[in-house]
Amino acid sequence: MLSMGRVVLRARQDTDIATLHTELYDDVATRSRADSRPWRPLAATPAESPYRVPADADDAAFFSVVDAGSGELAGEALLWGIDTHNRTAHLGLALLPAFRGRGLAGDAVTVLCRYGFTVRGLHRLQVDTLADNRPMTAAATRAGFVLEGTLRRSAWTCGSYSDEVVLGLLAEEWTDPARPAAAGG
């Protein structure tokens, strides 16, 4: 398990799947904004749900987000598209509706950065999100991500095109808030 502040990131469990599926996947409008693949009806079973963890997921690390205060499942977090040659990955996060607006996203992004940079030894992390996703953009920016560009009208979301933004963070730019600052001399 990895933790910081208000969140704990732990391995995804089969018991998490039904909640993540019902609260995140079955919300068609929200899921359509979070995934480039078209929504389609899927059963909330471990075998069919997109929240299952495949056995051969070498290019992804799946976590469940837990509210540290209550111990409740709060959402999902992941590094995906892990490229071990170039030492890069994409960062993803989705919180259940009841946990949004509580500041958990910022802590979850920071823990994902710690995992990516210090545990996996990655060089670069990237966030790709819709331009109007202010909570994700704000959480990434607080963690040190820099806006690198806008992909104009590149995402088809529920009947219209939306802009996407790309934010990036390099290992040497990142400061882990859990580590004491080096003494200057």
Side-chain angles (χ1 to χ4, degrees), residues 3-182:
S3 64
M4 185 189 143
R6 294 166 280 214
V7 302
V8 173
L9 299 188
R10 62 160 170 76
R12 178 85 40 86
Q13 300 169 359
D14 283 349
T15 54
D16 298 336
I17 293 172
T19 300
L20 293 171
H21 192 96
T22 300
E23 300 243 0
L24 297 174
Y25 188 81
D26 285 344
D27 178 351
V28 178
T30 299
R31 179 64 184 195
S32 296
R33 292 174 50 81
D35 196 334
S36 61
R37 298 166 292 190
W39 184 91
R40 61 189 176 96
L42 294 172
T45 64
E48 290 190 46
S49 177
Y51 298 99
R52 75 185 182 292
V53 177
D56 60 347
D58 292 335
D59 65 343
F62 300 89
F63 297 95
S64 288
V65 179
V66 175
D67 180 303
S70 68
E72 294 177 87
L73 178 66
E76 72 154 346
L78 65 148
L79 289 186
W80 59 275
I82 298 172
D83 178 339
T84 56
H85 176 72
N86 293 304
R87 296 177 38 215
T88 63
H90 298 262
L91 184 149
L93 175 68
L95 296 176
L96 304 177
F99 292 91
R100 295 176 190 157
R102 295 185 184 184
L104 275 68
D107 289 349
V109 167
T110 299
V111 176
L112 282 171
C113 289
R114 183 180 305 135
Y115 174 75
F117 292 134
T118 64
V119 175
R120 296 296 294 254
L122 299 175
H123 169 69
R124 173 189 163 78
L125 294 176
Q126 180 171 314
V127 171
D128 308 85
T129 190
L130 296 178
D132 65 354
N133 186 351
R134 287 175 187 79
M136 185 63 196
T137 304
T141 302
R142 279 192 305 275
F145 283 80
V146 176
L147 179 64
E148 295 180 336
T150 300
L151 306 173
R152 298 177 305 136
R153 296 181 57 178
S154 63
W156 179 253
T157 54
C158 291
S160 63
Y161 286 101
S162 299
D163 291 350
E164 288 181 284
V165 293
V166 176
L167 298 102
L169 179 61
L170 302 177
E172 61 264 21
E173 298 169 340
W174 184 64
T175 304
D176 186 345
R179 284 193 157 163

